[in-house]
Amino acid sequence: MKLKKLGALLLSASLMMTALTACGSKPAANDTAEDTKGADSAATDTAADDEENYETGDASLDNPLNQDEIGENELLVVSFGTSYNDSRRETIGAIETAMQKAFPDYSVRRGFTSQIIIDHVNKRDGEKIDNVTEALDRAVANGVKNLVVQPTHLMNGLEYTDLKNELAGYSDSFEKIALGEPLLTSDDDFQKVMNAIVAATIEYDDGETAICFMGHGTEADSNSVYTKMQETLTAAGHKNYFVGTVEATPSLDDVIAAVKESGFKKVVLRPLMIVAGDHANNDMAGDEDGSWKTEFEKAGFEVTTVVEGLGGLTDIQNLFVAHAQAAVDSLK
């Protein structure tokens, strides 16, 4: 697909820029979008201006949370990011709002790991979002003493490790630092996420429709979260629910084969990602050959797409809040 080719070029450019800036005093922000793409989006989320012929929403409605006057306690919410303005506000923004309500003694701030997305949103919309290094330096400059970092990662994989390593470089900059866990960490997390996605698709659960969730996928061992989510759904009796990935296993072909074998004729597609960015809009719901929508239609299925990120679900927001609460409690 054209966007994937564009994404590959952007990713290559990103890696070159990372190499060029690696000599700085602080580590460069991770913009290769490895595991976080499974929660959020991919580098193709930042299509060039001349290729971006779609509407992403009003950026002015989004709060980048890059203000100073932080105070002694900060809760930094770290996301891969997305250039889809409405989705950014309705998912990442909603999680940040839930954090501020849950932790009134903490100033909530935002940090994105994708420099490509940060630059694209700034160039296109004039909105400045801090990368992780900038957010941490802002916290230091504001005299923050207690720092809690809560990622919106789906899994504990390569990007989560990168974040952990960057925080280690600031161990002497704060009195206390705590890092919250990704969304899918414990067995209880899988149960709660399963309940959330089943509740979010209950209107389609008529016994005649296959409900398919599309994750990103990763080459890392953490890709096993998708198989585990499938096993969790099946064990709970949700045998019309299927989980696949864009760039790993289970693949689209695997999902189509499983749905065929189960005898369903109708399919609902929804992203298993925190935001509904490029992957959700194009790789899942797009009209080009190769998208999940078109491939299911070619296979003879009646297809409905739901382009909504997990971050918009209250139960998912509450689970991130619970992980942040555990991190806050660890500071005591």
Side-chain angles (χ1 to χ4, degrees):
M1 292 167 40
K2 293 179 180 178
L3 281 171
K4 283 189 175 180
K5 292 179 181 178
L6 179 61
L9 292 173
L10 287 169
L11 183 57
S12 297
S14 168
L15 291 172
M16 291 177 64
M17 287 302 296
T18 300
L20 290 171
T21 57
C23 296
S25 60
K26 297 293 184 183
N30 183 351
D31 54 15
T32 58
E34 290 166 350
D35 291 308
T36 314
K37 290 189 293 187
D40 305 321
S41 186
T44 51
D45 195 15
T46 58
D49 291 336
D50 58 352
E51 293 285 340
E52 191 172 278
N53 56 359
Y54 48 87
E55 177 60 44
T56 69
D58 187 351
S60 68
L61 300 177
D62 179 50
N63 185 350
L65 292 176
N66 59 356
Q67 302 88 352
D68 289 317
E69 300 180 2
I70 299 172
E72 294 186 354
N73 302 317
E74 177 180 344
L75 200 168
L76 176 62
V77 179
V78 173
S79 305
F80 174 75
T82 179
S83 64
Y84 281 70
N85 295 325
D86 285 347
S87 184
R88 185 169 66 254
R89 184 184 72 255
E90 294 165 359
T91 57
I92 294 171
I95 292 169
E96 294 163 345
T97 298
M99 293 289 180
Q100 193 65 81
K101 290 180 180 178
F103 305 101
D105 294 334
Y106 282 75
S107 294
V108 174
R109 294 295 183 267
R110 172 188 293 177
F112 280 4
T113 60
S114 174
Q115 191 63 46
I116 293 178
I117 286 176
I118 291 170
D119 292 343
H120 182 69
V121 172
N122 188 27
K123 178 181 178 182
R124 185 191 65 193
D125 303 312
E127 178 175 341
K128 179 64 178 75
I129 299 170
D130 285 348
N131 63 34
V132 175
T133 302
E134 290 169 337
L136 291 173
D137 288 345
R138 187 184 299 279
V140 172
N142 275 259
V144 171
K145 295 181 178 180
N146 303 306
L147 177 68
V148 174
V149 179
Q150 178 57 53
T152 63
H153 297 52
L154 192 75
M155 62 188 75
N156 185 343
L158 300 176
E159 282 214 10
Y160 186 72
T161 299
D162 287 344
L163 177 60
K164 192 181 301 183
N165 290 340
E166 179 155 12
L167 287 178
Y170 286 82
S171 59
D172 296 331
S173 300
F174 307 98
E175 293 183 6
K176 297 178 182 179
I177 301 179
L179 175 61
E181 294 179 333
L183 184 67
L184 292 171
T185 302
S186 68
D187 290 342
D188 185 56
D189 291 339
F190 279 87
Q191 292 291 327
K192 288 178 178 177
V193 172
M194 177 193 69
N195 291 338
I197 64 177
V198 168
T201 52
I202 192 67
E203 64 182 289
Y204 305 104
D205 192 3
D206 56 8
E208 300 178 356
T209 304
I211 301 172
C212 303
F213 279 84
M214 185 195 78
H216 184 274
T218 173
E219 62 185 13
D221 291 342
S222 52
N223 192 72
S224 62
V225 299
Y226 300 108
T227 299
K228 184 168 182 177
M229 180 54 68
Q230 181 67 74
E231 293 171 346
T232 303
L233 285 159
T234 303
H238 301 296
K239 297 184 179 180
N240 60 323
Y241 280 73
F242 301 86
V243 177
T245 67
V246 179
E247 296 187 6
T249 56
S251 67
L252 171 57
D253 289 341
D254 294 333
V255 176
I256 291 177
V259 174
K260 279 185 176 179
E261 185 177 350
S262 299
F264 296 104
K265 299 300 181 184
K266 296 186 293 182
V267 173
V268 170
L269 304 177
R270 180 163 179 153
L272 191 69
M273 304 176 180
I274 298 303
V275 306
D278 179 76
H279 280 309
N281 282 274
N282 294 289
D283 291 310
M284 188 191 80
D287 292 325
E288 291 189 358
D289 285 344
S291 76
W292 281 42
K293 175 178 177 285
T294 58
E295 293 306 305
F296 266 106
E297 288 175 340
K298 288 178 185 178
F301 293 94
E302 177 185 331
V303 181
T304 300
T305 58
V306 181
V307 186
E308 298 175 7
L310 296 180
L313 302 178
T314 300
D315 289 342
I316 298 298
Q317 297 162 17
N318 290 341
L319 186 50
F320 277 123
V321 167
H323 286 189
Q325 183 65 64
V328 169
D329 292 343
S330 72
L331 296 180
K332 299 176 181 178

